[in-house]
Amino acid sequence: MTETATGTTDSAAGTQAATQAATQAATQTVSKSEQAYAAVKARIVDGTYSPGYRLVLAKIAEDLGVSVVPVREAIRRLEAEGLVKFERNVGATVSGIDPTEYLYTMQTLSIVEGAATALSAPLIGEADVARARAVNAQMRDCLQHFDPVRFTALNQDFHSVLFEHCPNPHILDLVHRGWNRLASLRSSTFRFVPGRAHDSVEEHEALLKLIESGASPDDIERAARLHRSATLDAYLAQTNH
């Protein structure tokens, strides 16, 4: 009886140890996948991996100090977001957005983000307004020694404050999808139209004042939509499309 009990105990302990080891390995894989995802996406956004750039998994894995498995998972996520595409006989490459695609995506984003901002407005408190205004102040400072990548990141932070309280999860999902779709090109948008950055900061302040004053949802939606459309118009005019 003692030997049997001991054998059973040892077997259970072994099973538990194996389970813990498997769980730990899975956690490490997920963590490395997240790291690879963040690293590759950052390089796409800042232009290090430009549109058309071939993503060689083994080389990326070597650069990041991980195996190919988490890199492959990261690439799959980025493909789902539209930042990466697979081409026959080429493999994974960074997606580019042609002017027509940019036009359609920005038009859609102007509509859904305008709606999300209008729906979110009644739920935006003083602390949120202060946070958005602080981000806009950083954007204004950024104009002195213009960094389009930093400016764009701050721009997203600003707008996130304004639409993050949107109570409609479906509209909010569409907004996030729009930002993700534009991520690779948005990093360079203000490179093409740096003069637009100054106007954007002023329009941000005007939008905040509308929200503070308790303006109607229609007025807030219109201001947010036109703000987005103005960037699109400036970009298309600059690139002759």
Side-chain angles (χ1 to χ4, degrees), residues 2-131:
T2 302
E3 292 180 356
T4 302
T6 301
T8 301
T9 301
D10 290 343
S11 177
T15 300
Q16 183 177 7
T19 300
Q20 290 176 343
T23 300
Q24 183 177 6
T27 301
Q28 291 177 346
T29 299
V30 171
S31 177
K32 290 180 179 179
S33 177
E34 287 291 338
Q35 293 174 10
Y37 167 79
V40 175
K41 184 171 184 177
R43 293 178 184 182
I44 292 175
V45 171
D46 69 18
T48 301
Y49 295 162
S50 58
Y53 182 89
R54 185 184 177 195
L55 299 168
V56 181
L57 272 60
K59 179 64 169 60
I60 295 174
E62 181 181 354
D63 291 344
L64 299 180
V66 298
S67 70
V68 174
V69 175
V71 175
R72 183 179 295 112
E73 292 298 321
I75 296 301
R76 286 174 179 168
R77 287 180 61 184
L78 292 168
E79 182 189 15
E81 293 178 7
L83 297 181
V84 171
K85 64 180 180 180
F86 280 90
E87 298 181 27
R88 180 176 298 179
N89 301 324
V90 176
T93 60
V94 176
S95 299
I97 301 180
D98 62 37
T100 301
E101 179 67 14
Y102 182 75
L103 167 66
Y104 294 154
T105 304
M106 280 290 277
Q107 285 178 337
T108 302
L109 186 57
S110 70
I111 294 171
V112 295
E113 188 176 78
T117 302
L119 289 171
S120 181
L123 305 175
I124 295 176
E126 293 182 4
D128 298 312
V129 171
R131 183 156 56 101

Side-chain angles (χ1 to χ4, degrees), residues 116-157:
T117 302
L119 289 171
S120 181
L123 305 175
I124 295 176
E126 293 182 4
D128 298 312
V129 171
R131 183 156 56 101
R133 190 162 274 133
V135 174
N136 204 39
Q138 293 182 60
M139 295 178 72
R140 186 174 284 107
D141 292 341
C142 189
L143 296 175
Q144 301 300 319
H145 302 286
F146 193 58
D147 179 349
V149 174
R150 172 169 167 72
F151 189 87
T152 297
L154 289 170
N155 187 48
Q156 182 167 2
D157 290 342

